[in-house]
Amino acid sequence: MTDEVVRYERVGAIATVTMNRPRYRNAQNSAMTYALDAAFERAVDDDEAKVIVLAGAGEHFSAGHDIGTPGRDVDVSFDRKAVLWWDHVDKAGGDQRFARESEVYLGMCRRWREIPKPMIAMVQGACVAGGLMLAWVCDLIVASEDAFFADPVVRMGIPGVEYFAHPWVLGPRAAKEVLFTGDRFSAQRAYEWGMVNRVVPRAELPDAVSALADRIAQMPRFGLALAKKAVNQSEDQMGLRAGMDSVFGLHHLAHAHNAEVSKDPLGGMDAKSMKDNASGS
């Protein structure tokens, strides 16, 4: 259905989960978050599905969190799935924002990282801020040559998106460059930094992802699950989870500072100003 914010399709052993808000460059509102979660649950429970592909409909993978579309639903309650915390809707200030972002952003991404089936992000066009989080929870990233990436939220006075995996997926110096400048970086640059597995022409992206997914699907399902868990556990031993916890506190300190000095927790920035200020190669 064209009005679904997330589409699900399985062909053979490959389940494809597609973000479906192309008019808004697949900006992620809460409705999309919970629809993604439901689709991932469906793929996990489907014994015929061995690999999950995460895609974005239209020209762009994802422009990040929804901070300004008509579908922004920050004040809507959903059944919580990721963390055991109270609802955010009737709360105020830091209580409200911490509750929501713990669940919808950091908590959901951590939940999806633990999905026991290999996940491939198929990225074209923009993969910005919250879009990076969606790609980073996947095990592999295949990008088109015209894909570009950025985490520009330091312009808001905030030290990176909530799922703070930057030093692990980029390396410390590349992470600092990405954060300090807020500039876009290309798929080729992401490949050189080790963030992206493969870069292919735009027209070849679906076939390249399908071929990789089919190759992975030939492996034993339980072996894939254990291999994924082994690598994730190793990352956590290298401080990934503890690092995220510490930076999440800094993230909310930044929101609180912005609200105190300007009455705006986003530092006066909106979707248009973030896009207008984007640059880089």
Side-chain angles (χ1 to χ4, degrees):
M1 295 174 59
T2 57
D3 60 344
E4 292 177 322
V5 293
V6 170
R7 299 198 308 263
Y8 181 92
E9 180 184 25
R10 181 175 62 78
V11 177
I14 313 305
T16 300
V17 175
T18 304
M19 295 176 282
N20 191 35
R21 299 185 76 206
R23 180 180 178 185
Y24 303 111
R25 304 202 304 169
N26 295 316
Q28 182 189 2
N29 58 6
S30 292
M32 176 181 281
T33 297
Y34 288 96
L36 282 170
D37 190 71
F40 292 146
E41 278 194 5
R42 181 176 175 181
V44 170
D45 289 338
D46 185 349
D47 283 343
E48 299 300 316
K50 295 187 68 177
V51 180
I52 302 168
V53 173
L54 176 61
E59 291 298 306
H60 301 282
F61 177 76
S62 176
H65 299 326
D66 186 343
I67 60 173
T69 83
R72 188 168 188 246
D73 51 10
V74 66
D75 296 324
V76 179
S77 292
F78 291 83
D79 291 336
R80 295 175 300 285
K81 301 292 289 290
V83 298
L84 190 60
W85 203 268
W86 47 74
D87 192 10
H88 70 283
V89 169
D90 59 346
K91 307 304 184 295
D95 187 355
Q96 184 268 347
R97 186 171 295 274
F98 186 86
R100 181 171 186 267
E101 294 192 357
S102 295
E103 162 74 10
V104 177
Y105 297 153
L106 180 60
M108 278 294 190
C109 283
R110 283 178 163 174
R111 172 175 163 84
W112 299 337
R113 177 177 176 257
E114 299 304 319
I115 288 171
K117 296 182 179 181
M119 295 178 61
I120 303 173
M122 182 169 69
V123 178
Q124 81 285 358
C127 181
V128 176
L132 284 177
M133 295 167 52
L134 297 174
W136 284 350
V137 300
C138 295
D139 305 293
L140 305 175
I141 300 175
V142 180
S144 63
E145 291 174 338
D146 66 342
F148 62 89
F149 306 86
D151 185 357
V153 300
V154 174
R155 293 194 184 98
M156 297 176 173
I158 298 169
V161 290
E162 294 85 353
Y163 185 83
F164 193 84
H166 307 58
W168 289 268
V169 299
L170 293 167
R173 296 197 185 281
K176 288 177 181 177
E177 179 178 340
V178 166
L179 291 166
F180 290 175
T181 66
D183 287 345
R184 298 177 178 181
F185 56 100
S186 67
Q188 182 59 37
R189 195 76 182 277
Y191 176 79
E192 293 166 358
W193 283 337
M195 190 191 100
V196 164
N197 295 87
R198 301 181 184 183
V199 179
V200 300
R202 176 75 165 255
E204 299 175 15
L205 182 61
D207 288 343
V209 171
S210 293
L212 179 58
D214 286 339
R215 176 69 186 88
I216 294 170
Q218 297 174 30
M219 303 293 279
R221 183 179 61 183
F222 191 49
L224 289 169
L226 294 179
K228 175 170 180 171
K229 195 169 188 66
V231 176
N232 283 0
Q233 287 177 340
S234 297
E235 280 190 308
D236 288 339
Q237 289 294 319
M238 291 186 279
L240 174 63
R241 188 175 183 88
M244 282 187 186
D245 284 337
S246 64
V247 177
F248 195 61
L250 298 177
H251 183 99
H252 283 274
L253 170 62
H255 278 310
H257 173 75
N258 286 342
E260 186 170 342
V261 302
S262 69
K263 308 304 179 185
D264 178 4
L266 299 184
M269 303 295 285
D270 58 20
K272 185 179 185 302
S273 59
M274 294 291 281
K275 180 180 177 182
D276 291 345
N277 280 303
S279 62
S281 57

